[in-house]
Amino acid sequence: MEKVIELLSLNKSFNGEKVIENLNYTFFSNEIVVLLGYSGVGKSTLLRILSGLDHQYQGEVKYASDINVSKSIIPIVFQSFDQLLPWYTVKKNILLPYKKENDKLKIFNEIIDILDLGNALHKYPKELSGGMKQRTAIARALLAKSKVILFDEPFSSLDITMRQSLQNLVLKIQRKYNQTIIFVTHDIEEAIFLGDRLLIMADSKTRHDITLNSENKERYTNPFDQQVRKVIKIIEGSTQ
Amino acid sequence: MRETLNKNYRKIFIIILIIFLWEGIYNLNIYPQTLFPSLTEIIYEIVKGFRDFSIILSIQYSLTLLFKGIVLTFLLAFISVLLSEVSIIFNDFLEMLISIAHPLPGIAIIPLVILWIGIGEKAILFIIIHAMLWPVIINLKSGIQSIPKIYMDLSEVFNFSRVDKIKHIYFMGILPHIFSGLKIAWARGWRALISSEMVFGVVGSSSGLGWYIFKQRVFMNTPGLYGGLVIIIILGLLVEGILFKKLENIYIGKWS
């Protein structure tokens, strides 16, 4: 497996308070890594660093040689429904970052089909449901054809049915495009369902790396399982 | 739909009521007819003004001047807001200038303007720009502040160029504020224009609606004076109620 992003002794502070301390971690190609933990533990901060939105950190973030963080797009799908520009249609929102790239049309049509956005292309964001807005944001991110896509709690404001349908969609697109997905959530079930690996962030220093496979995934989804209880305990510990 | 229809009927009813009331007061001879003319006399004066082109020329002069003022105001406002976004010192300077100049009524600076600029078209332009510029700048600045931070993040993540950021995020983001600024500019500029035209009178061979009204008073043509006022009211309603609403619907109605 190819290393896509490598974090070496990463440290991040806000107003003198350490949020991430000495994080060493490697994200590999073609995997879904879920960053799991309660709010304020530094998950979104880490995502902002990975996307190149936050440069104020100590340590090193090494990208694969074909990713130039200042030129390449490392797309994020945010939690907020406001991540689409309200003055443009769905189609324009998706294509706007790539207007100088003429070769996107084929993949655009393919992505629109996968995400079932065909009927919404000429609608404005105010006319869309929350789920459709997030689909549009995913389409925009997918079109970058980046090695990595970042998801910052994208489904936490959706109802359970919509959330499950979009979780399946994430798995589907990851299998199709073989991208590395780094997915932030505080929902344990979502994390276990999606993740190949979990990086549980309990506090700025305490982290647990769990590799999931079909066997332990089943076990982890059982709320009475000892291991699950342990994970819950770790995360709940972070709020105390 | 029904609500709008009812509202329109109510408006028409109120206008008819005012007409009857006006004519009633006129016929009762409560006020001298030189001060309170009949509606027929007023309408006659308006028609006469249109026939001899005096009203049309005044409207053309006033609207052209106001249009020039609005264009210059927005140009100055855009430059100021842009500079205040890139320089904190300029921003502080601008804020101080706004707090000093904004409360100053246009009419109050007329004596100073006469001393500095004289009594020509430039002087009127200066006064109307002064009336419009400060609220427009405040509006545009608050427009920029209201743009959600997530749009800036998006433009960073998706590597928007500086021009794209200005075009697709800043400009589109403040578009509703540009429209509300335009409404404020129109309202304030229109008032300042009419009053300064009354003071400055004829500029060269042309004069505006303000002077038209003033002239009617000098010649004691009260129906003509009322006629001028009616024209000002109608123009105001047409621009605010129809033109601006139409433009707003075209440019921001679909998405806002």
Side-chain angles (χ1 to χ4, degrees), chain A residues 45-105:
Chain A
T45 306
L46 179 56
L47 226 54
R48 290 179 72 82
I49 291 172
L50 296 177
S51 70
L53 277 175
D54 189 342
H55 306 281
Q56 308 291 314
Y57 58 85
Q58 290 84 48
E60 198 180 346
V61 182
K62 274 171 81 176
Y63 294 90
S65 56
D66 51 350
I67 301 176
N68 178 348
V69 75
S70 61
K71 283 185 188 158
S72 318
I73 292 173
I74 302 177
I76 295 195
V77 178
F78 293 97
Q79 175 187 0
S80 168
F81 291 157
D82 290 335
Q83 64 186 303
L84 303 177
L85 299 176
W87 38 85
Y88 291 141
T89 58
V90 165
K91 187 176 180 182
K92 190 149 186 189
N93 261 291
I94 297 171
L95 285 171
L96 188 64
Y98 317 104
K99 61 187 167 71
K100 284 175 192 143
E101 299 167 49
N102 299 321
D103 57 336
K104 292 283 183 192
L105 201 63

Side-chain angles (χ1 to χ4, degrees), chain A:
Chain A
M1 279 205 294
E2 185 201 347
K3 285 180 185 175
V4 176
I5 305 176
E6 197 175 1
L7 308 175
L8 301 167
S9 307
L10 187 76
N11 286 280
K12 170 75 189 173
S13 311
F14 281 119
N15 303 323
E17 194 184 325
K18 287 193 170 175
V19 184
I20 299 169
E21 280 184 78
N22 198 31
L23 174 60
N24 293 287
Y25 198 80
T26 306
F27 299 95
F28 294 98
S29 59
N30 195 13
E31 66 168 353
I32 300 181
V33 178
V34 177
L35 309 182
L36 182 64
Y38 272 91
S39 309
V41 82
K43 310 181 301 287
S44 296
T45 306
L46 179 56
L47 226 54
R48 290 179 72 82
I49 291 172
L50 296 177
S51 70
L53 277 175
D54 189 342
H55 306 281
Q56 308 291 314
Y57 58 85
Q58 290 84 48
E60 198 180 346
V61 182
K62 274 171 81 176
Y63 294 90
S65 56
D66 51 350
I67 301 176
N68 178 348
V69 75
S70 61
K71 283 185 188 158
S72 318
I73 292 173
I74 302 177
I76 295 195
V77 178
F78 293 97
Q79 175 187 0
S80 168
F81 291 157
D82 290 335
Q83 64 186 303
L84 303 177
L85 299 176
W87 38 85
Y88 291 141
T89 58
V90 165
K91 187 176 180 182
K92 190 149 186 189
N93 261 291
I94 297 171
L95 285 171
L96 188 64
Y98 317 104
K99 61 187 167 71
K100 284 175 192 143
E101 299 167 49
N102 299 321
D103 57 336
K104 292 283 183 192
L105 201 63
K106 196 179 159 220
I107 178 140
F108 170 78
N109 290 329
E110 190 180 290
I111 288 168
I112 294 307
D113 278 347
I114 296 171
L115 290 162
D116 199 17
L117 283 167
N119 293 328
L121 286 180
H122 300 291
K123 288 186 177 169
Y124 287 88
K126 73 166 185 184
E127 300 167 283
L128 303 178
S129 66
M132 287 299 264
K133 283 180 186 168
Q134 297 311 75
R135 276 169 192 264
T136 308
I138 294 172
R140 179 175 60 190
L142 276 178
L143 205 58
K145 286 289 265 170
S146 159
K147 271 192 157 178
V148 189
I149 299 191
L150 311 172
F151 287 83
D152 191 1
E153 306 201 34
F155 311 140
S156 58
S157 308
L158 299 173
D159 63 63
I160 183 77
T161 327
M162 185 58 74
R163 206 182 310 161
Q164 280 169 350
S165 126
L166 288 179
Q167 284 163 358
N168 282 313
L169 201 65
V170 169
L171 287 182
K172 190 175 159 189
I173 54 182
Q174 198 272 335
R175 276 182 210 128
K176 184 165 175 64
Y177 296 111
N178 298 326
Q179 288 159 308
T180 301
I181 288 181
I182 304 173
F183 195 103
V184 162
T185 184
H186 59 259
D187 179 342
I188 298 171
E189 277 181 35
E190 184 170 64
I192 293 165
F193 179 72
L194 288 175
D196 297 313
R197 282 193 297 151
L198 299 185
L199 176 61
I200 300 168
M201 300 170 80
D203 56 42
S204 64
K205 280 186 282 200
T206 323
R207 287 172 287 265
H208 302 270
D209 187 10
I210 298 174
T211 304
L212 295 166
N213 51 45
S214 50
E215 264 176 51
N216 63 11
K217 263 196 186 215
E218 209 169 295
R219 218 180 62 220
Y220 277 124
T221 42
N222 176 359
F224 303 108
D225 184 277
Q226 284 305 309
Q227 284 295 326
V228 179
R229 283 167 179 246
K230 204 171 140 191
V231 171
I232 295 170
K233 218 171 159 187
I234 293 166
I235 297 171
E236 282 179 346
S238 68
T239 58
Q240 286 159 17

Side-chain angles (χ1 to χ4, degrees), chain B residues 16 29 37 55 58 63 78 84 88 174 186 212 215 234 249:
Chain B
I16 294 169
N29 282 324
I55 285 187
S58 298
L63 287 184
F78 277 127
S84 72
I88 298 174
I174 62 168
W186 161 263
Y212 179 87
K215 203 169 62 184
I234 292 173
N249 277 341

